[in-house]
Amino acid sequence: MYLFIFLSGVSSVCRKWRKGVTQSLGGRHNLSFAGCKMDDVSTARLVRHAYSLKELDISRSRWGCQISDNGLYQISLAKCVSNLTSISLWGMTGVTDKGVAHLISRANSLQHLNIGGTFITDESLFVIADNCSHLKTIVLWSCRHITENGLVGLVNKCRKLEVINVWGTRVPVDCFIALLTISPALQIKSRGLLLNVGNPPIQQAVV
């Protein structure tokens, strides 16, 4: 991965070597930039070459990810985005609903999404609901700006949704009961609670 990142910013690399690396990148099914210091241009360039990509992880790292809404827009133009089944934007505090909408609106095959630790609002949830009918799991950990309206819209349209993590949000427990009314098989993970059909709220140990 670090070799790919290095080459993404170097234009004077031997043509044959660069071609070989590009071909190798084209066959990858997953890319993770977690732990790497990335920016909009280098990330988008690498993703564009990963034609067979299924899983993309651009979670924030301790080095400080510099990806912005513009970076998500550039990534959204890659041919592989429509085939992605998993995306993680964990902790990406530099992106907003605008960037998330650009990317998610093209990720129609998405099954697993992690946007925990971001500042998204219901606007992103509505875009996910309209474009991700195959979604099975979503992590909304500490997304404090989402509301009951966004969650209801999401669960109403994403009928294959199995697990939703809302730990650290400001949504009341009554909302979770409403979500189970819509989708009885849904498993809801919240702080100190595990909710699913047929069971009362179960208190969990908070580590």
Side-chain angles (χ1 to χ4, degrees):
M1 176 54 65
Y2 287 98
L3 176 61
F4 294 140
I5 294 171
F6 171 74
L7 292 178
S8 71
V10 178
S11 58
S12 58
V13 179
C14 170
R15 181 178 301 177
K16 289 185 179 180
W17 185 26
R18 190 182 185 91
K19 181 178 179 181
V21 172
T22 300
Q23 290 176 341
S24 176
L25 185 61
R28 292 182 67 94
H29 290 163
N30 61 78
L31 277 179
S32 175
F33 300 116
C36 304
K37 188 173 182 178
M38 302 297 296
D39 58 27
D40 291 343
V41 175
S42 57
T43 303
R45 182 180 293 132
L46 290 170
V47 174
R48 282 199 299 269
H49 287 301
Y51 308 114
S52 303
L53 197 62
K54 296 292 185 181
E55 301 177 6
L56 176 62
D57 181 357
I58 49 179
S59 304
R60 181 181 179 184
S61 72
R62 64 184 181 277
W63 301 109
C65 185
Q66 300 176 30
I67 296 176
S68 66
D69 285 342
N70 183 55
L72 294 187
Y73 169 71
Q74 292 182 47
I75 292 172
S76 74
L77 301 178
K79 293 181 179 180
C80 65
V81 169
S82 62
N83 295 320
L84 290 176
T85 60
S86 177
I87 295 176
S88 178
L89 303 178
W90 171 264
M92 299 285 291
T93 55
V95 301
T96 68
D97 289 320
K98 181 179 179 180
V100 172
H102 278 306
L103 180 60
I104 298 303
S105 63
R106 295 174 180 268
N108 307 119
S109 300
L110 201 60
Q111 297 179 24
H112 309 284
L113 176 62
N114 186 343
I115 45 178
T118 65
F119 296 126
I120 65 157
T121 70
D122 288 346
E123 183 178 339
S124 288
L125 296 187
F126 294 142
V127 173
I128 296 168
D130 289 337
N131 294 278
C132 303
S133 59
H134 302 290
L135 193 66
K136 294 182 179 180
T137 66
I138 184 169
V139 176
L140 299 168
W141 186 93
S142 201
C143 291
R144 297 179 179 273
H145 301 290
I146 63 172
T147 71
E148 179 176 355
N149 289 336
L151 291 175
V152 169
L154 178 72
V155 175
N156 260 322
K157 291 190 175 181
C158 296
R159 306 305 293 185
K160 296 182 181 180
L161 192 61
E162 299 172 357
V163 180
I164 182 169
N165 187 327
V166 289
W167 194 99
T169 64
R170 296 173 175 171
V171 181
V173 174
D174 288 348
C175 169
F176 304 151
I177 303 301
L179 297 182
L180 291 176
T181 302
I182 299 170
S183 179
L186 181 66
Q187 185 179 83
I188 303 173
K189 297 180 179 181
S190 181
R191 182 176 183 177
L193 294 173
L194 176 62
L195 298 175
N196 53 27
V197 68
N199 293 306
I202 302 173
Q203 291 293 331
Q204 294 182 308
V206 178
V207 180

